[in-house]
Every structure is written in structure tokens, then in C-alpha cells.
Amino acid sequence: MFSSASHAHTRRSGVGSVQWMKSRAAIAAIGLIPATVILASACSSGAGLGNKAGLADQSVVLRMADLNAGTNLHGTPEIQYFVQRVSDLSRGQMSVKVVYSVGGLAMNAEQQVVKDVAAGSFDLGFAGTSVFDTLGIPSFQALGAPMLIDNYPLENAVIRSSLPAKMMAGLAKLDVTGLAVLGDEMRRPVGVRQPILSLADWRGITFGTYQSKTEEAAVRALGAKPGPGFATARDQALARGALQGFDLNLVYYHQLAKESVAPYITANVNLWPRTVALFANPGRLARLSASQRRLVTQAAADAAVHSTGLFQDEDPVVRDICQSGGRFADASAADLQALRQSFAPVYANLEADPQTKAMIGQITAMKRSTPAGPALTIPAGCTGHAPGQAASGSTTTAKLNGTYRWTMTARDGTTTTPDVNSEMAYPSIFTATLQDGRWTMRHSGAETMTDNPGDSYSVQGDRIRFHWASGFLTFTYSVDAKGNLHLKAVPPVHPDDAFVFTTHPWTKIG
């Protein structure tokens, strides 16, 4: 039906987000076109990269798979730095083209990225190191040992040590070549209805994580049940009330606007860092010249060194989260000790593997000699009960339950942008159903029909936020005496989306 970006950043491209008459199947087919590496024939004169023949290398574009939705790498600045570094080192003769939403935002998207790079569908890819134990590679598990790497100076020390090279050696079994392990933000517990602080708060809840045997074992050790912690599956579980918490880093949490659905963050519990493995298709690397391979390797090494410095100052995003309704709480010293003690069986299982045991020992030694750095600075007023949470609960959401319909005419089409007008056949009838935090929409026009098969929505005060793919559309709303719904767009909403959602009231038909 329509597509919406995963972050507010993606709206800046100026490309209309609504393509009302194109079927989902046709759009999906784009992703089935065989991936090819683009080799431009033009050679650079002067400062090109030398090859064995002493000539400048040809211009090369490497295709990179990204499991995240969007049109940029703002959510993964360490990868963004790598991409820029390739261009800078090669003086523009090499570049990386990023292909987004590989894996379809499914829970197994990271595994799919690895498989696609191994198959040669893409030249490069990246995935969280925690996923590799689900693919039979245990060499990264020390990075995800719960509450072991719990501060940025330690993460930086680990990234710069000899450990990443040892860990990446295991990737050969998956037919990919490791280039670097990059640092990313710490992932903290996020609570839906209350902060998750003590063992009592963990027991009996369903807690979402990315796919990882190690992380799931840690969640179980605390008495909780592992649940979906990524993209659509996570958001649908939140809308159903099936998740009471999940782990996420602060920047991504704020970009996804999770303050309205899960406002409670445990500030001083860093479960594990979101370390990222950058890898390549070995056949594609072999087809590069020696100088090009050295350049890619150097760019990856530079990105690794640079990566952890991108996240050490989290205070600005803490302030933004607070202003958006998020609230922070600290676990007590006794709570922290109890959490660590509960992880004992997880460590026993990890250390059954001799290599992982040695790596955990090496990281523990680094931890003893590495100052932890400052704690988060929580502004006044950003603790305690989240504002407006009661307004976003099930009672307020349920009052909008119903089926709504409105019709767009050719006359309406004269008021909108050419993009949506050219795609829409008039009259176009829209039927939306809202039910306890879930919504569906059917669009029929002329002889075509498209469906949004279902997603989540949330209500807070006079605002309603619709989730689509991994993005959001936010509107203020009012309900008239007949139960009809009147919407007004809250920026950033693309004009095409505003046209469809707000031109007419949503007439309640059932």
C-alpha cells in the first residue's frame, strides 16, 4: 500500500512515500533482481590507486546489505564512517552502495544478510556479533556475555585488542571474510509499564532481544521469557501487550520514538554492547586488485578504531529522550549484585568452550585495568512516572475501535502533489479498521485493490501514531458526535501521506 521510513531522517529525501496503486508483489520483486557489482570503465588520471601493472584501478562500486529500513546510515554511524572512509582513501575511485531492508525486517534478517553476502548477492554486509551463535559460530560470544563489557572505555579496549581478529576467523565457516568488529552503543533494559530494576521485575515478564542464544540464555537466567526484540515483530508484540520490556541502545530507541510505548530505561544496567561484524564475500575480495583490497581493509580498520568514540557521550540523547517522555531509573547496588549472580549458569555454559573462556578471561583482565568512565547524566525531572502513560493505555486506545471509510475523488486529486495523483485511480475508497492497538487498511480504486495486512498504532493524549514497516505516521485526532475520526498531520509527515489520511474525515461505519 505505502511505505514509511524507519527514522525521521528518511523523510528528508524529498521522495513521496505513497505509491498507492503499485502492488506489494511488484515492489517486492525489485528485491529479486540478481545483485551485480557495478564496474565503471572510466579510469582516474593522476592520483589513482596503483595496481600490479602500474596503472590506475577502475572505478568500483561495492554493494552492501543493510538489514535496517531507511535511506541513510544514521542509525549505524560506524558503518557510515566505513563507507565514507572507502571513498576518501580511494579519492572517489571506490564507493559503497547500501541496499536497505535486506531480510524484510524479519527477526532472522541478520542471518539473511550473512547468507546473502556468502552467496554473492552482495559484496559487503554487517550484522550484530550476537547473532553468530545462532549460525553455529561461537567465537563472538564473549562480546555478549551479560554485563561483562558494560562501559565504553572497556568496549574501546576490546575493539582495539587482538580479540576481534581471533573472533572473525570463525566467519570462514559461513563463507564470508571478516573485515572488522565495530563498536556501537550499550543496550539497556527498556520497560513498558515500569522500570526493570530488580530480579523481581524480571521474573515472569517477556523480554525482547535480537536473535542470540547467549542473550536468550541471559534473559531466562533472570526469570524472564525471551521475546522478539527487532523491528516489526517487536512492535507488533508491544501493540498486543505481549512484551513487557526489550533491550535497545539509546540513539536507536529515540529515533524509533519508543518513549510513547516503553518509556522506562534502566540507566545503570548495560546488558551488552551492540558490537557489529563487518564482512565481505571472499570471491569479490579476490577479484579486487591488491591495492583495492588493502584499501577496503584499511577503511574497515579505521572504522573499528573510530567506532566507539561515536557513542561515549550519550548525555545529549538522554536529554532528548527525557523531553519526549522517556524516564530513567537506576538499579540499586544490591540489585546489580543479584543480576550478576543470576548470570552464573550463563557464564558456566559459555566457558565450556575453551576459546570463549580464554576470551572472557582476557576481557575481565582488561576490565580490571580500564576505568569505566562517567555514568549517564540524568536531568532533573527525568525520573519517576512517565508523563501521559495512562493516556496511552488500552482504555484510550479501545475507544477508537471500529471500522472507518472515506473516499478520495478526482477533485481531491487536484490539491495534491503530482506523484500521488498520477498513481491513484479515482474514486479511491479507503477502509481502515482499528482494534485495540492494531490497524489494517484496504484501498480500492478502479479495478485495483491493495491492503495493509496489519500493524500497530498507539494513542497518547490527542495524538495517534500509526506504525508501518519500521516507520511512523503521527496525527492529532478528534472524534465528532457521530464517532467519525478527524486527523491532522504532525510533522514530519510527507504531503502525500497527509493527503490520504487527512483530506476527509474517517466516517465510522461499524
Side-chain angles (χ1 to χ4, degrees):
M1 186 184 68
F2 66 100
S3 64
S4 181
S6 63
H7 310 135
H9 302 293
T10 58
R11 291 291 186 186
R12 299 172 184 169
S13 65
V15 178
S17 64
V18 184
Q19 297 186 17
W20 295 96
M21 302 312 301
K22 294 182 179 178
S23 71
R24 294 169 64 89
I27 295 173
I30 297 173
L32 301 179
I33 298 173
T36 58
V37 178
I38 306 167
L39 295 176
S41 60
C43 294
S44 172
S45 61
L49 298 170
N51 59 24
K52 293 180 180 179
L55 300 175
D57 288 326
Q58 289 181 315
S59 175
V60 175
V61 178
L62 300 173
R63 297 178 77 250
M64 173 184 280
D66 184 348
L67 76 159
N68 299 301
T71 59
N72 56 52
L73 292 166
H74 288 172
T76 50
E78 68 277 20
I79 300 297
Q80 187 176 40
Y81 183 87
F82 165 74
V83 170
Q84 185 62 48
R85 194 67 179 145
V86 169
S87 178
D88 290 346
L89 289 174
S90 68
R91 301 184 184 182
Q93 288 183 252
M94 297 184 71
S95 62
V96 178
K97 177 178 174 58
V98 182
V99 179
Y100 298 94
S101 298
V102 175
L105 300 177
M107 277 297 296
N108 67 345
E110 289 183 305
Q111 291 97 324
Q112 190 60 51
V113 166
V114 177
K115 293 174 183 177
D116 284 352
V117 173
S121 298
F122 297 95
D123 308 313
L124 302 168
F126 63 93
T129 56
S130 58
V131 78
F132 289 102
D133 64 7
T134 70
L135 295 170
I137 307 299
S139 56
F140 294 97
Q141 287 184 311
L143 297 175
M147 295 179 70
L148 177 59
I149 302 175
D150 58 0
N151 63 79
Y152 290 112
L154 176 58
E155 183 186 12
N156 184 50
V158 172
I159 293 294
R160 293 170 180 248
S161 73
S162 60
L163 286 175
K166 297 175 183 178
M167 294 173 176
M168 288 189 295
L171 293 178
K173 297 179 182 179
L174 300 177
D175 298 322
V176 297
T177 299
L179 297 176
V181 175
L182 311 178
D184 202 315
E185 276 194 286
M186 295 291 162
R187 285 156 60 190
R188 296 173 169 89
V190 177
V192 174
R193 302 301 300 176
Q194 64 182 30
I196 302 173
L197 305 175
S198 68
L199 282 178
D201 298 326
W202 283 92
R203 290 192 184 108
I205 69 171
T206 300
F207 188 86
T209 70
Y210 283 58
Q211 287 204 341
S212 165
K213 291 182 179 180
T214 302
E215 293 178 8
E216 289 180 0
V219 169
R220 290 192 181 96
L222 298 178
K225 177 183 176 182
F230 173 68
T232 304
R234 174 195 57 218
D235 293 340
Q236 290 178 346
L238 285 169
R240 296 194 307 270
L243 278 186
Q244 289 74 54
F246 53 91
D247 72 304
L248 202 60
N249 56 37
L250 295 184
V251 168
Y252 210 43
Y253 169 89
H254 183 56
Q255 287 178 339
L256 295 176
K258 291 303 179 191
E259 294 92 341
S260 64
V261 293
Y264 298 104
I265 301 165
T266 307
N268 65 340
V269 175
N270 293 327
L271 292 170
W272 31 67
R274 171 68 177 171
T275 46
V276 173
L278 176 64
F279 45 86
N281 176 274
R284 180 59 183 131
L285 283 181
R287 292 194 298 275
L288 296 176
S289 70
S291 61
Q292 288 170 335
R293 285 194 298 274
R294 286 194 300 269
L295 185 148
V296 171
T297 302
Q298 183 62 54
D302 292 349
V305 170
H306 187 76
S307 59
T308 56
L310 295 167
F311 308 103
Q312 297 204 31
D313 182 11
E314 294 180 302
D315 288 347
V317 72
V318 168
R319 291 192 293 269
D320 290 341
I321 288 170
C322 288
Q323 292 174 1
S324 299
R327 291 295 178 261
F328 290 82
D330 280 335
S332 69
D335 290 335
L336 294 175
Q337 183 179 5
L339 293 178
R340 295 183 188 280
Q341 291 174 343
S342 296
F343 290 136
V346 180
Y347 276 87
N349 184 61
L350 291 175
E351 292 176 347
D353 178 79
Q355 183 188 43
T356 302
K357 181 177 181 178
M359 290 179 175
I360 289 175
Q362 190 172 340
I363 294 172
T364 302
M366 291 183 201
K367 189 170 185 174
R368 287 194 292 264
S369 62
T370 305
L376 287 180
T377 301
I378 309 301
C382 290
T383 60
H385 187 75
Q389 189 183 54
S392 63
S394 59
T395 301
T396 300
T397 303
K399 79 176 185 180
L400 299 183
N401 286 353
T403 299
Y404 303 83
R405 183 169 292 159
W406 65 101
T407 301
M408 311 295 292
T409 67
R411 183 176 180 181
D412 296 323
T414 62
T415 67
T416 191
T417 61
D419 288 343
V420 68
N421 197 32
S422 64
E423 297 290 347
M424 188 177 292
Y426 297 105
S428 281
I429 301 170
F430 294 87
T431 305
T433 299
L434 279 58
Q435 183 68 37
D436 297 333
R438 301 284 301 161
W439 73 289
T440 62
M441 182 181 285
R442 169 167 290 193
H443 161 233
S444 59
E447 297 179 356
T448 65
M449 180 176 292
T450 57
D451 290 280
N452 164 20
D455 222 312
S456 62
Y457 71 94
S458 61
V459 178
Q460 184 171 352
D462 66 345
R463 294 194 176 197
I464 183 168
R465 176 178 299 212
F466 295 99
H467 184 265
W468 172 256
S470 62
F472 294 91
L473 299 172
T474 303
F475 305 88
T476 59
Y477 76 91
S478 61
V479 181
D480 64 26
K482 297 181 180 179
N484 302 326
L485 199 58
H486 301 255
L487 303 182
K488 292 183 179 179
V490 176
V493 172
H494 193 278
D496 292 347
D497 294 333
F499 167 70
V500 171
F501 277 74
T502 69
T503 299
H504 294 287
W506 293 21
T507 302
K508 194 166 188 177
I509 61 173

